[in-house]
Amino acid sequence: DWSSDVCSSDLDGSKSVGSYLETITATDSYGLSGLLNITIVVNDLPTISGVNNLITTKGRAAQTTALSASNGTGPYQFSMTTDGSANMSIDSTTGIISVSGSLDAGTFNETITVTDSSGATGTALVQITVNQGLTVSGGGDVETTFGRPESSTAFTKSGGTGSTTFSISPAVDGITIDSNTGVISVSALTVAGTYLESVTVTDSLGVKVYKTALIKVNNAITFANYSKLQTTIGRSRIFTSVIASGGTSSLTYSISGNIPGISINSSSGAITVPNNLAAGTYYDTVTATDGLSVAKTTSIQLQVNPVMSIPNISTIINTLGHTSVTDSITVTGGTGNPTFSITSDPEDRKSTRL
């Protein structure tokens, strides 16, 4: 028999929180009794602290810090509703919530339950937010000519968590990207070459995505070495030595027109000199322009020489059977080194023999 109803009232959970000193009396059938003093402690219901909402990006696994339990009667066990998903869980001992990278994007409002050794429970709410996966799009390849700066269109991002930054690798002198706008800039001094670059977008949680960009810097436009252009008065001539290389896309040639009647083939750069120029020295400028409007100029010198003339040669008198040699013949005018040939007149030779 019990001398108090404290124990029975404690068993039904209605006793107030506190500490109770009670005496248990046992009485047998002869009326003899024995006493036992006991202390009954009624703890408050368990509570959970340290709950922090969890935010992550799809594709990134994440964890919370450990939870703490107070009140109740230890030890404690943690559990959590998971909407039936195997991609979120809670450690029953530490209360650490884990989310796998496979959890779909969305907002999940879950209930955490702590259960003490007596079966009493306490609850807390936690919100798990999985933002859409981070992606990068837009932008594009860049092509330019050495000496001409160029920029790409902007790379853009979607998804991710918090603010994002753009970066580019590997590092190349003269090639940069704006960390906020995602615009690639190629300086005029970037060495000619082809560069395969990787554009990286990083969100506030360190999630990264990548997209490649091809940067092509073509050689500067240069003219090949060429000599002074020369022709002879009265002779039309085409010169193909003033040729440029480099640049982006095909080159287009033009000439300033300082020399009357001179023209240039816009595709090949061949220069045509008319036959009506007076003897003298002329100067002009040739320009080669590429598909990006980068231009390079060079100066040309044209020498129009007088018509070649041969001085009078005295009659050569010789004796049959004897060989004679004239003095060298000096030629003036013309272009370049002259070559000589002689044509015999059969009639004259016959008459001489007579």
Side-chain angles (χ1 to χ4, degrees):
D1 191 13
W2 300 93
S3 64
S4 173
D5 63 356
V6 172
C7 289
S8 61
S9 63
D10 174 64
L11 292 175
D12 65 18
S14 62
K15 199 65 178 173
S16 299
V17 173
S19 180
Y20 301 89
L21 181 60
E22 301 294 335
T23 300
I24 299 175
T25 302
T27 304
D28 66 9
S29 59
Y30 294 103
L32 300 176
S33 62
L35 303 178
L36 176 65
N37 292 324
I38 65 169
T39 300
I40 299 175
V41 178
V42 180
N43 292 315
D44 202 352
L45 292 173
T47 59
I48 304 171
S49 60
V51 178
N52 293 307
N53 292 333
L54 180 62
I55 300 176
T56 190
T57 302
K58 181 173 172 56
R60 172 185 178 269
Q63 288 185 329
T64 64
T65 55
L67 300 179
S68 299
S70 58
N71 300 325
T73 303
Y76 306 97
Q77 294 286 312
F78 294 96
S79 60
M80 183 181 71
T81 59
T82 60
D83 292 337
S85 174
N87 294 312
M88 64 174 82
S89 61
I90 189 170
D91 187 287
S92 62
T93 301
T94 64
I96 294 176
I97 298 171
S98 299
V99 173
S100 82
S102 300
L103 184 62
D104 290 336
T107 300
F108 306 89
N109 295 305
E110 306 299 335
T111 300
I112 302 170
T113 300
V114 62
T115 304
D116 72 3
S117 59
S118 67
T121 61
T123 61
L125 297 178
V126 65
Q127 186 176 80
I128 298 172
T129 302
V130 180
N131 293 310
Q132 292 289 343
L134 185 63
T135 61
V136 58
S137 58
D141 299 335
V142 179
E143 185 174 9
T144 190
T145 302
F146 179 80
R148 174 184 179 272
E150 182 60 287
S151 298
S152 71
T153 55
F155 288 80
T156 57
K157 71 89 183 179
S158 62
T161 301
S163 60
T164 55
T165 57
F166 292 90
S167 59
I168 192 168
S169 62
V172 175
D173 288 343
I175 298 177
T176 58
I177 191 169
D178 188 292
S179 61
N180 295 315
T181 65
V183 173
I184 296 175
S185 296
V186 181
S187 80
L189 299 179
T190 303
V191 176
T194 300
Y195 306 93
L196 184 61
E197 296 293 299
S198 178
V199 174
T200 303
V201 185
T202 307
D203 74 3
S204 61
L205 297 178
V207 176
K208 300 177 183 292
V209 291
Y210 309 89
K211 187 176 182 182
T212 58
L214 186 67
I215 312 296
K216 186 176 183 182
V217 180
N218 295 306
N219 289 318
I221 302 173
T222 57
F223 281 91
N225 293 328
Y226 55 90
S227 302
K228 176 174 64 176
L229 309 182
Q230 292 193 72
T231 189
T232 303
I233 189 171
R235 177 179 170 82
S236 177
R237 189 170 178 188
I238 297 176
F239 296 93
T240 59
S241 57
V242 185
I243 301 299
S245 61
T248 300
S249 190
S250 58
L251 297 175
T252 301
Y253 294 89
S254 60
I255 195 165
S256 58
N258 295 331
I259 305 174
I262 195 171
S263 64
I264 192 168
N265 185 296
S266 62
S267 299
S268 67
I271 298 172
T272 300
V273 176
N275 61 6
N276 59 353
L277 287 178
T281 301
Y282 300 86
Y283 298 92
D284 216 325
T285 300
V286 173
T287 301
T289 305
D290 72 3
L292 297 176
S293 298
V294 178
K296 177 71 174 179
T297 60
T298 188
S299 297
I300 62 170
Q301 179 180 348
L302 172 63
Q303 181 70 43
V304 180
N305 298 308
V307 174
M308 185 171 58
S309 63
I310 303 175
N312 292 329
I313 300 174
S314 301
T315 303
I316 300 172
I317 302 174
N318 194 20
T319 302
L320 182 66
H322 180 72
T323 300
S324 62
V325 179
T326 67
D327 294 331
S328 298
I329 300 174
T330 301
V331 177
T332 60
T335 301
N337 296 321
T339 59
F340 296 90
S341 62
I342 190 168
T343 302
S344 299
D345 186 340
E347 295 299 324
D348 288 345
R349 191 163 55 245
K350 180 179 179 181
S351 61
T352 300
R353 289 175 180 174
L354 292 175

